[in-house]
Amino acid sequence: MNPIRVVVWGENVHEHKNPKVAAVYPDGMHTTIAAGIRENSSAVEVTTATLQETDHGLTTERLAATDVLVWWGHMAHDKVEDRIVDRIQQRVLEGMGLIVLHSGHFAKIFKRLLGTSCALTWREADEKERLWVCNPGHPIARGIDKYFELPREEMYGEPFGIPAPDEQVFISWFEGGEVFRSGCCWHRGNGKIFYFRPGHETYPTYHDNNVRRVIANAVEWARPQGQWADVSHCPNVKTPPEPLAKKAD
Ligand code: ZN
């Protein structure tokens, strides 16, 4: 099997504005996320792209050669150009996998593909997060115990303004009592989408082995399968596969 061509996209803004974030992710969050995927999967070719590059690093040619795109964004969602969002949406419909992390719940591409508010409740108070596996047979939960914990994270709570997921893999519980659908799968066109909640920028979440494994599992799950259908137009098929009987007027 050919290696899965993965692009980890990072907004790459907090790392340069907040010394606390730079201390946790000195080479950028995208670099750490990419390293975690390489470490947990032998079948991948992982590169990174950032907001600041031409076309945010996502040219038509590069997206055409991408099997799975991993997305982390937060404070600069509005800086992502709509023409690039159009381009990513088209590729997902064709079959490219999309993994959206943490604050990416408000990314233009996520809201576009899901079509709902994607709003949630939140609190930044150094809380413990317990992520329960609610679908142990799912490939994204492979190698994960009944649950795992992150000692300090931002809280995200319900209601989460998403369409009902096609598959639910994780549910989070927080120290303060809230719960949240933290690992959700959807299909759009030929593409698979996975949303994974943890990853607030001031915490070392993407250094956590369980988190790294889940993202790598998700990449393998989301790789394109089968033949991509042409979704760009609606052909008028005047000649059917079987000849039509003459109809009486
Ligand atoms: Zn956050």
Side-chain angles (χ1 to χ4, degrees):
M1 221 161 20
N2 293 329
I4 308 169
R5 299 163 299 176
V6 184
V7 174
V8 177
W9 189 88
E11 180 183 276
N12 193 34
V13 175
H14 289 281
E15 294 95 318
H16 300 283
K17 289 199 165 165
N18 183 346
K20 211 170 152 187
V21 179
V24 182
Y25 297 107
D27 300 317
M29 300 179 76
H30 49 284
T31 306
T32 303
I33 295 165
I37 297 168
R38 283 187 206 105
E39 188 180 276
N40 285 280
S41 180
S42 52
V44 288
E45 269 173 24
V46 190
T47 55
T48 61
T50 56
L51 175 70
Q52 297 77 21
E53 295 168 42
T54 306
D55 281 13
H56 312 321
L58 302 172
T59 59
T60 304
E61 296 70 30
R62 186 150 188 214
L63 280 172
T66 300
D67 295 315
V68 180
L69 177 64
V70 180
W71 192 273
W72 195 99
H74 181 218
M75 64 192 297
H77 290 321
D78 63 334
K79 301 280 191 306
V80 176
E81 290 182 44
D82 290 336
R83 65 190 178 88
I84 309 298
V85 178
D86 294 344
R87 198 178 277 176
I88 301 168
Q89 179 187 21
Q90 182 63 28
R91 283 290 295 126
V92 170
L93 297 179
E94 287 171 1
M96 182 181 75
L98 178 69
I99 316 291
V100 175
L101 301 172
H102 188 63
S103 39
H105 72 90
F106 254 8
K108 283 183 181 177
I109 184 60
F110 191 63
K111 294 202 284 186
R112 168 86 65 86
L113 284 161
L114 295 192
T116 52
S117 75
C118 301
L120 45 79
T121 65
W122 62 282
R123 175 173 62 238
E124 219 178 313
D126 291 350
E127 281 171 75
K128 177 159 83 179
E129 174 175 9
R130 182 178 296 149
L131 289 104
W132 286 92
V133 175
C134 51
N135 192 346
H138 199 283
I140 296 179
R142 196 179 63 240
I144 304 293
D145 208 347
K146 277 196 247 185
Y147 64 80
F148 69 94
E149 292 181 346
L150 299 166
R152 289 186 309 143
E153 250 294 352
E154 178 182 15
M155 186 283 293
Y156 276 8
E158 296 284 345
F160 186 16
I162 48 171
D166 298 331
E167 296 163 283
Q168 187 76 55
V169 187
F170 297 100
I171 291 175
S172 283
W173 169 89
F174 294 87
E175 205 176 330
E178 281 93 347
V179 295
F180 188 74
R181 288 169 287 172
S182 53
C184 309
C185 305
W186 297 270
H187 296 75
R188 288 292 182 271
N190 296 317
K192 292 176 169 177
I193 301 167
F194 181 62
Y195 172 78
F196 191 44
R197 194 218 78 86
H200 187 65
E201 64 274 4
T202 54
Y203 302 120
T205 299
Y206 296 120
H207 294 286
D208 179 89
N209 286 334
N210 286 308
V211 169
R212 289 159 85 95
R213 175 171 291 213
V214 168
I215 296 170
N217 286 349
V219 161
E220 291 182 9
W221 168 82
R223 77 179 304 171
Q225 311 272 333
Q227 196 76 31
W228 296 348
D230 185 347
V231 292
S232 59
H233 66 294
C234 302
N236 179 358
V237 275
K238 287 181 176 152
T239 310
E242 300 292 336
L244 299 174
K246 268 256 182 276
K247 305 283 192 313
D249 292 332

